[in-house]
Amino acid sequence: MIKGDGGMVTFVKLRNFKSFGKIEFDLKKTMKKAKNFVAIYGENGSGKTNFIESIRLLVINIMAYMNYCNLPQFRENISKNSELNKKISLEDIKNLIKQIQGNDFNEELKNSRMRDCNEPTELEYGFRYIGNDEKEHDAVYKISFIDHIISEELRCWTGKQSGIMFNVKSDENGNISCKFNRNMIKNKVLYDEIKEIIQQFWGKFSLLSILFNIVASKNKKYSNDNCSIHLIDFLHAITAINVMSKGISTQTYYQHGISGMLFELNKGNIPESELDNLIRSEKVLCQLLTQTYSDIKFVEYEITRIDDRYIEYTLMLDKMIAGKVRRISIDEESFGTNQLLQVLAPLISSLNGMTVFIDEIDTGIHDILCRNIIDAIRENITGQLIITTHHTAPLKYLDPCEAYIIDIDCVGNKEAVCLSQFGLQKTHNPSDMYMSGKFGGVPIMDPIDTDMVIEAINMTDEEMSINRNEVMKLLEEQNEKTSEDDYNEE
């Protein structure tokens, strides 16, 4: 079994990925140390979410083959546990199955491509992690794809030096060539098994994902005896990544419980074996929420047994309302409080050695509350916390090396610029300077002419008729083209 050891991300290079033609995020504090905390700023549409999505794609990549292999067992468990099914809608079950199907990863690859681009998409990730020898090592993982993977390489510590652990690529005819470090797989039977899986599945799944599944599904002794300990060290490191993007948390299978907290803090279903995580979460939330909100006096989970294995839980708050402490469920609380609960679990994970990426951490959360939480977390991070935000107040107290701006030039090229490059002095106010456009990364626009907007709303019948005719002509041309394409296909 693999357990996360807290590898840190030192850089991310993206090429032809979503809205990025070419960009690099250098997250190194020194040549030998990664930054524990980073806040990324930029105007709407600058690519902050796409950067976080590049990390989410890495996590999905790691888990893809394991999810594919576990799909039959997942379906069997769902069908067996009829009582639990009553608590999960059919749509939820369909979505869960879709998320873990192998084809879903290929859809992720297609959706990650830059529009109207004929060149491959290339992703490169740098890591720093502690190996079995208790020394720090660097690793670089590269993957290139179109609608499927076309090349992949891992460089990491191989024993005496850093070198290629594996390199796999395919030519235009689909022929696959592999290069392995000679010590990567010591057992010939296992080596032949991996080679066979590559021939069947590589391109649809990565070799990184295949190796992760093999090591994670074997017992520790078998893995250590038959696989390179340096490969296992790297796989340990990359399992400690948690990504929250578009309100959805994505993490590897073995992260669940690393921080000792529930995956969903507001409500959900858990096996009874995770009761300790529920108790710990309850104690943590009671401390945090009663200190953060003056009107919340107590917090606890209301639990109900579903069957002999599963427990349903809902967070309840004792809250001062109109001069009296009243008990309400988390469903009755504000969007902002629910949003805060969504980000608390990954935030706490960063205090426990995990690498956490959160997109737009300030969504729905009051500026002062957001600042206080970030300030409290930031000084005690043992892992890594990287956020995107529009909240500028933290710029006043962040170290300039912790703040990045995604700047866009006049032709749409983007650059991730660290504020430490601007030579800021103690007398400078980074927040005001950012808002005034000194660092880039803010919207530059002319005043909005509302008269023109009103004029568009109040179009005359004649103007509307002209525009309607143009639209109908365009639709007719599209119908003719579709009919012609269908005829050619037949």
Side-chain angles (χ1 to χ4, degrees):
M1 178 181 288
I2 291 177
K3 183 179 179 183
D5 286 331
M8 291 178 148
V9 178
T10 54
F11 70 82
V12 180
K13 295 180 182 179
L14 308 173
R15 188 176 183 87
N16 303 325
F17 179 80
K18 291 184 177 283
S19 64
F20 294 122
K22 183 179 180 181
I23 195 169
E24 177 178 1
F25 293 83
D26 185 351
L27 306 175
K28 295 188 293 292
K29 188 172 186 177
T30 65
M31 288 298 293
K32 294 186 177 182
K33 187 173 176 60
K35 296 176 182 179
N36 293 94
F37 177 79
V38 167
I40 299 175
Y41 292 83
E43 61 182 288
N44 291 336
S46 62
K48 298 187 300 299
T49 296
N50 287 344
F51 165 67
I52 301 294
E53 285 288 293
S54 73
I55 307 297
R56 189 181 73 88
L57 185 65
L58 172 66
V59 175
I60 293 173
N61 173 18
I62 295 167
M63 293 301 301
Y65 185 65
M66 175 179 280
N67 288 338
Y68 173 80
C69 293
N70 288 343
L71 184 58
Q73 184 64 44
F74 174 82
R75 283 176 166 152
E76 183 180 345
N77 290 343
I78 287 292
S79 62
K80 279 183 177 179
N81 202 328
S82 58
E83 287 299 312
L84 183 59
N85 284 348
K86 294 176 183 178
K87 301 293 181 179
I88 306 176
S89 71
L90 181 60
E91 191 63 30
D92 286 340
I93 294 172
K94 287 180 179 178
N95 288 334
L96 283 170
I97 292 174
K98 181 181 177 183
Q99 286 174 23
I100 66 173
Q101 280 180 317
N103 289 334
D104 200 46
F105 179 58
N106 289 90
E107 286 300 314
E108 292 284 351
L109 295 183
K110 292 175 186 177
N111 294 335
S112 298
R113 300 271 289 140
M114 175 179 275
R115 286 289 181 88
D116 301 322
C117 179
N118 296 321
E119 298 178 352
T121 297
E122 300 171 2
L123 311 180
E124 184 176 343
Y125 307 91
F127 304 91
R128 176 157 280 266
Y129 61 97
I130 298 175
N132 192 60
D133 55 6
E134 298 186 356
K135 295 180 180 179
E136 290 191 338
H137 299 295
D138 291 308
V140 176
Y141 175 68
K142 300 179 183 178
I143 185 168
S144 177
F145 57 87
I146 37 179
D147 60 347
H148 61 278
I149 302 168
I150 57 175
S151 70
E152 182 187 11
E153 180 181 278
L154 172 63
R155 286 181 170 269
C156 63
W157 186 251
T158 59
K160 295 182 179 179
Q161 62 183 4
S162 292
I164 293 176
M165 184 61 74
F166 64 75
N167 182 298
V168 190
K169 57 186 176 181
S170 63
D171 61 24
E172 57 188 19
N173 296 319
N175 298 311
I176 301 170
S177 62
C178 308
K179 179 182 178 182
F180 295 166
N181 179 278
R182 61 189 179 90
N183 295 318
M184 188 176 87
I185 304 297
K186 305 169 188 176
N187 181 309
K188 187 179 185 307
V189 174
L190 182 59
Y191 178 86
D192 290 342
E193 177 187 342
I194 292 171
K195 293 281 282 190
E196 179 63 23
I197 294 173
I198 289 172
Q199 293 302 316
Q200 291 184 60
F201 292 107
W202 189 83
K204 181 176 181 179
F205 302 105
S206 67
L207 178 54
L208 181 69
S209 184
I210 292 168
L211 292 172
F212 176 81
N213 179 60
I214 286 174
V215 173
S217 61
K218 313 294 184 186
N219 65 55
K220 184 177 181 180
K221 186 178 187 310
Y222 181 90
S223 296
N224 289 345
D225 288 347
N226 296 288
C227 302
S228 164
I229 189 62
H230 308 298
L231 171 65
I232 295 172
D233 284 344
F234 174 73
L235 293 174
H236 283 180
I238 60 173
T239 59
I241 299 176
N242 187 334
V243 183
M244 177 166 281
S245 178
K246 300 177 181 176
I248 300 172
S249 186
T250 306
Q251 55 184 8
T252 59
Y253 178 81
Y254 287 104
Q255 284 178 8
H256 197 73
I258 284 180
S259 65
M261 298 283 288
L262 293 174
F263 184 68
E264 294 287 348
L265 290 173
N266 51 1
K267 61 180 180 178
N269 303 311
I270 56 168
E272 190 173 323
S273 59
E274 290 189 27
L275 187 58
D276 287 353
N277 287 347
L278 183 142
I279 293 170
R280 185 176 290 107
S281 299
E282 181 180 85
K283 300 301 182 186
V284 169
L285 289 180
C286 194
Q287 290 294 324
L288 281 172
L289 295 182
T290 54
Q291 292 181 54
T292 304
Y293 293 86
S294 60
D295 55 353
I296 295 179
K297 305 304 179 183
F298 188 69
V299 171
E300 69 177 355
Y301 283 111
E302 185 177 275
I303 62 174
T304 306
R305 180 174 291 283
I306 299 175
D307 58 20
D308 59 348
R309 290 193 303 141
Y310 282 87
I311 295 170
E312 181 181 48
Y313 64 92
T314 302
L315 188 65
M316 306 299 293
L317 312 174
D318 287 354
K319 189 171 183 178
M320 180 65 74
I321 302 173
K324 181 181 177 181
V325 176
R326 306 167 196 266
R327 173 155 289 203
I328 64 171
S329 112
I330 191 61
D331 291 333
E332 301 173 77
E333 255 295 351
S334 68
F335 170 80
T337 301
N338 277 276
Q339 185 67 15
L340 176 61
L341 289 175
Q342 290 294 315
V343 301
L344 272 179
L347 281 175
I348 293 168
S349 296
S350 72
L351 300 177
N352 201 33
M354 288 182 63
T355 294
V356 178
F357 291 77
I358 302 178
D359 187 33
E360 297 192 3
I361 192 172
D362 52 334
T363 300
I365 303 174
H366 194 283
D367 287 358
I368 295 175
L369 178 57
C370 188
R371 171 178 172 169
N372 287 344
I373 291 171
I374 292 174
D375 201 23
I377 293 286
R378 178 174 150 262
E379 298 299 326
N380 297 288
I381 295 170
T382 60
Q384 189 175 33
L385 176 60
I386 298 174
I387 65 172
T388 70
T389 180
H390 293 288
H391 181 35
T392 60
L395 284 173
K396 295 178 182 179
Y397 62 86
L398 292 182
D399 187 310
C401 76
E402 296 177 326
Y404 286 71
I405 310 292
I406 299 179
D407 192 26
I408 311 173
D409 67 17
C410 60
V411 293
N413 294 317
K414 299 176 181 181
E415 182 182 10
V417 183
C418 184
L419 288 197
S420 61
Q421 299 178 28
F422 291 92
L424 298 176
Q425 305 297 320
K426 291 183 178 180
T427 55
H428 291 151
N429 186 325
S431 178
D432 291 345
M433 294 173 71
Y434 170 63
M435 292 300 290
S436 65
K438 298 292 185 182
F439 309 133
V442 293
I444 305 298
M445 55 188 292
D446 295 326
I448 297 175
D449 189 339
T450 53
D451 290 339
M452 296 182 69
V453 175
I454 294 170
E455 184 179 326
I457 293 172
N458 297 320
M459 291 174 64
T460 65
D461 291 343
E462 183 179 355
E463 290 171 330
M464 186 66 75
S465 177
I466 293 171
N467 282 273
R468 189 186 301 112
N469 290 337
E470 290 177 353
V471 172
M472 294 303 296
K473 182 179 179 182
L474 177 63
L475 290 173
E476 288 173 5
E477 290 174 354
Q478 290 176 350
N479 289 336
E480 289 175 2
K481 186 177 185 306
T482 300
S483 299
E484 184 178 339
D485 289 343
D486 290 343
Y487 176 77
N488 292 333
E489 287 181 6
E490 291 176 1

